[in-house]
Amino acid sequence: MKQRKLGDSSILASEVGLGCWQLGGDFGPITITDAIHIIETALESGVTFFDTADVYGAGQSESILGDRLEQIKKDVKVATKYGRGEGTYPNGYTLQDMRDAVRRSCDRLRRDKIDLLQLHCIPPSVLEKGHVFDFLRQLQQDGLIDYFGASVETMDEAMTCLAHPDLTSLQIIFNLFRQAPKDTLFKVAKENQVGIIARLPLASGLLSGKFNASTSFAESDHRNYNKDGEAFSVGETFSGIDFSEGLKLVDALEQNKPSELTMANFAMRWILDHDAVTTIIPGASSAQQVLQNVNASAIAPLSEESHKRLYELYQSKIARLIRCPI
């Protein structure tokens, strides 16, 4: 597994990390045994970067991850998030609230401090006021966190965050359905030495090429209850693309895929070909999916012609179907 440096920090992250949203049960029920097997397989496969949040399964994701990492004791980096918890979102942001939330995350993760704390898609108005960044700096000075970044939903939010010179990372939606960041955002991020963490690399699994019109999702799976943005931003589910339209787009994208690659590895390799990206954080509902995902790091870069065709397809057919601000 290749590694890349995260921004201007000392963090080396595996090119393919593990997104841990599913460990909280938000992609349907998951057993502790299966969750542990996913984590262990990731570690055995060279994954050194794990991304979670305090609200995934009301702390369940952090707790399972923390317990297993403490037992295995491998040198890995854990990023978690703050900002969407009850009593915090949308207007309860204070230094004490952040400090208390981080201490609870430390307890669940069995760590003395957090490697990377990210603001978790907080309201743009709060980002613009800037006081949350002062809170992050204070926690950094207090030794509760090593570095801080932000997980955002739009380009405007990303640019607001990039105005802070001590920002380490930006976590954004970036995949074959959501190509806009590479036009302008990546240049600014590289100039500011800010690492990019690409979430939803497979658009909630849609870009894996394994779904069809008869695919259904569990009642507790956000791909069921948030398919049209009923619970939170529709951009977080299938990257804002309507499921039926997405199936057609995947068929079009597959026509540009080398025959020897799976659709999932093709989609993730495309992301890794952008040097502004430090790591991608696909989730996995099984150990087998982890093994499939990590292969993306070993695949040779796609051709320039392939990248050109994929961007033309995005401009002509995909961009207009995105149902959220980008």
Side-chain angles (χ1 to χ4, degrees):
M1 173 73 73
K2 300 183 182 72
Q3 297 197 355
R4 299 183 184 184
K5 189 168 176 285
L6 184 66
D8 194 28
S9 75
S10 63
I11 293 176
L12 285 177
S14 50
E15 287 188 337
V16 181
L18 180 68
C20 297
W21 190 1
Q22 77 285 358
L23 302 186
D26 298 304
F27 283 75
I30 187 169
T31 67
I32 300 297
T33 299
D34 286 344
I36 289 173
H37 197 194
I38 289 168
I39 295 167
E40 290 178 342
T41 303
L43 291 167
E44 291 165 1
S45 302
V47 171
T48 62
F49 187 84
F50 294 78
D51 177 86
T52 184
D54 57 356
V55 293
Y56 293 167
Q60 175 177 299
S61 176
E62 286 184 333
S63 294
I64 295 173
L65 183 62
D67 181 68
R68 203 64 198 146
L69 292 180
E70 183 184 50
Q71 294 183 44
I72 295 178
K73 298 187 183 303
K74 282 201 173 184
D75 184 18
V76 301
K77 299 301 180 182
V78 177
T80 193
K81 308 184 193 75
Y82 159 83
R84 300 288 294 196
E86 185 177 353
T88 301
Y89 183 85
N91 54 14
Y93 301 96
T94 67
L95 175 58
Q96 190 60 50
D97 184 73
M98 183 185 287
R99 182 180 283 122
D100 290 345
V102 169
R103 284 173 172 160
R104 289 192 295 269
S105 288
C106 284
D107 288 343
R108 288 188 291 265
L109 288 166
R110 311 291 182 89
R111 292 183 166 231
D112 295 329
K113 60 181 177 179
I114 302 299
D115 296 317
L116 176 70
L117 181 67
Q118 304 161 97
L119 299 175
H120 194 179
C121 299
I122 69 175
S125 59
V126 178
L127 283 177
E128 290 163 6
K129 289 177 182 175
H131 59 278
V132 287
F133 293 98
D134 291 331
F135 300 161
L136 290 166
R137 294 180 185 103
Q138 185 60 57
L139 265 60
Q140 195 176 44
Q141 292 176 15
D142 293 344
L144 283 172
I145 64 175
D146 276 340
Y147 300 100
F148 61 83
S151 179
V152 297
E153 293 177 340
T154 69
M155 297 277 282
D156 285 346
E157 292 167 12
M159 295 303 288
T160 296
C161 295
L162 284 173
H164 295 267
D166 43 359
L167 190 81
T168 290
S169 64
L170 272 175
Q171 185 177 136
I172 61 169
I173 300 172
F174 182 60
N175 57 44
L176 285 168
F177 287 161
R178 298 284 293 274
Q179 299 187 29
K182 73 186 188 70
D183 291 333
T184 55
L185 180 65
F186 283 3
K187 180 178 184 294
V188 180
K190 288 171 66 174
E191 288 173 350
N192 291 10
Q193 293 185 284
V194 172
I196 298 294
I197 300 169
R199 74 175 183 275
L200 298 181
L202 297 179
S204 307
L206 189 50
L207 283 167
S208 70
K210 297 179 179 179
F211 297 163
N212 56 49
S214 61
T215 300
S216 60
F217 303 98
E219 186 176 346
S220 59
D221 191 323
H222 75 97
R223 293 173 293 186
N224 176 22
Y225 67 78
N226 193 60
K227 62 183 183 300
D228 294 313
E230 298 94 329
F232 43 83
S233 171
V234 71
E236 302 296 337
T237 302
F238 303 128
S239 295
I241 299 290
D242 174 77
F243 183 72
S244 59
E245 292 290 346
L247 292 174
K248 299 173 188 175
L249 293 174
V250 170
D251 287 342
L253 288 165
E254 279 196 298
Q255 295 176 23
N256 296 278
K257 178 184 70 65
S259 59
E260 69 273 14
L261 298 184
T262 66
M263 185 61 200
N265 279 166
F266 174 58
M268 289 188 285
R269 183 63 250 177
W270 177 86
I271 300 173
L272 289 174
D273 284 351
H274 297 84
D275 63 2
V277 173
T278 299
T279 183
I280 58 177
I281 48 171
S285 59
S286 68
Q288 185 61 34
Q289 282 189 358
V290 173
L291 294 173
Q292 294 168 355
N293 291 341
V294 298
N295 287 338
S297 179
I299 296 170
L302 305 177
S303 68
E304 289 186 16
E305 180 60 29
S306 180
H307 276 275
K308 180 181 178 181
R309 291 196 306 269
L310 291 167
Y311 187 56
E312 289 173 349
L313 183 59
Y314 167 75
Q315 290 180 308
S316 63
K317 294 186 177 181
I318 299 175
R320 59 186 172 82
L321 297 176
I322 299 171
R323 299 179 294 165
C324 59
I326 59 175

